[in-house]
Amino acid sequence: MSSTTHSTDATASPVIAGLLLAAGGGRRLGGRPKALLPYRGRPLVENAVRVLREAGCGPVHVVLGAAAAEVRERADLSGCVVVDNPDWAQGMGSSLRVGLASLAGTGAGAALVSLVDQPGIGPAAVARVLAAYRSPASLAAASYGGERGHPVLFGADRWADIAATATGDKGARVHLTDHADELTLVECGDIAEPFDIDTPPDLARLA
């Protein structure tokens, strides 16, 4: 009986983690946490996780903030790495830092960052951005009519600099601006709509 040793295939697809920022408190929605907004009968955060998984991301890390305990109780986040951002009220930058820190040691070659309140962006658009990965130095973003949007792909070699410059609501904008000549824009306007759920009239888009 012969024995076979299984080694890692050097040509295997790289691990690209999904990083979902879902900490927002919905200030302009009267303080309704965005992760818990109802969408197709379930909390909105579940849809965002499904989109990342169906596009091919794995593992999926979810950053919670506002009403984090309630989100954990009401939403099915099984299989996800869920981390809390105690400083979520300081803006998206703090959630991005917490999320990237949670990915340390996972072996992921990149993080695909998405926002919980953009249900018009589905698996097809996310997969298209994932396909732009080339190396741990990769930098890519979805674009809509030529305008940069989400999701955004950050190669692991960039995480430290992004974390160092992500403050307030700027998120990764400083890094993206400083490295604009290295950014690959992936047009997704034909398959996705990048609207945000920010104000009460936007809630109609969740119907």
Side-chain angles (χ1 to χ4, degrees):
M1 180 170 132
S2 62
S3 63
T4 304
T5 53
H6 295 280
S7 59
T8 301
D9 184 350
T11 63
S13 297
V15 172
I16 300 180
L19 178 54
L20 176 61
L21 304 186
R27 178 174 50 83
R28 287 181 284 172
L29 289 168
R32 299 174 65 184
K34 291 187 175 183
L36 289 175
L37 292 174
Y39 183 64
R40 298 176 179 173
R42 297 297 304 166
L44 187 57
V45 66
E46 291 183 12
N47 174 72
V49 167
R50 176 189 61 80
V51 167
L52 289 173
R53 285 193 172 131
E54 289 186 5
C57 292
V60 174
H61 287 221
V62 181
V63 180
L64 300 180
E70 187 179 357
V71 176
R72 287 173 182 268
E73 181 180 331
R74 290 176 50 191
D76 180 6
L77 299 176
S78 55
C80 297
V81 175
V82 183
V83 292
D84 291 341
N85 173 18
D87 300 319
W88 63 268
Q90 295 180 9
M92 189 191 304
S94 63
S95 290
L96 184 56
R97 291 197 304 273
V98 167
L100 290 175
S102 76
L103 290 172
T106 62
L112 189 292
V113 180
S114 68
L115 308 181
V116 73
D117 66 339
Q118 293 190 317
I121 300 175
V126 176
R128 196 177 278 185
V129 177
L130 283 181
Y133 177 84
R134 296 292 179 272
S135 75
S138 289
L139 184 64
S143 63
Y144 302 89
E147 295 292 320
R148 189 186 78 231
H150 283 87
V152 184
L153 184 143
F154 300 118
D157 290 353
R158 298 181 178 274
W159 295 353
D161 184 67
I162 291 168
T165 56
T167 58
D169 275 322
K170 292 179 180 177
R173 271 181 280 177
V174 172
H175 185 88
L176 289 165
T177 299
D178 289 349
H179 299 274
D181 58 334
E182 301 163 41
L183 175 65
T184 298
L185 288 178
V186 182
E187 182 57 44
C188 294
D190 59 319
I191 53 173
E193 295 182 87
F195 59 82
D196 302 305
I197 307 298
D198 282 334
T199 63
D202 296 333
L203 295 173
R205 292 180 175 270
L206 295 176

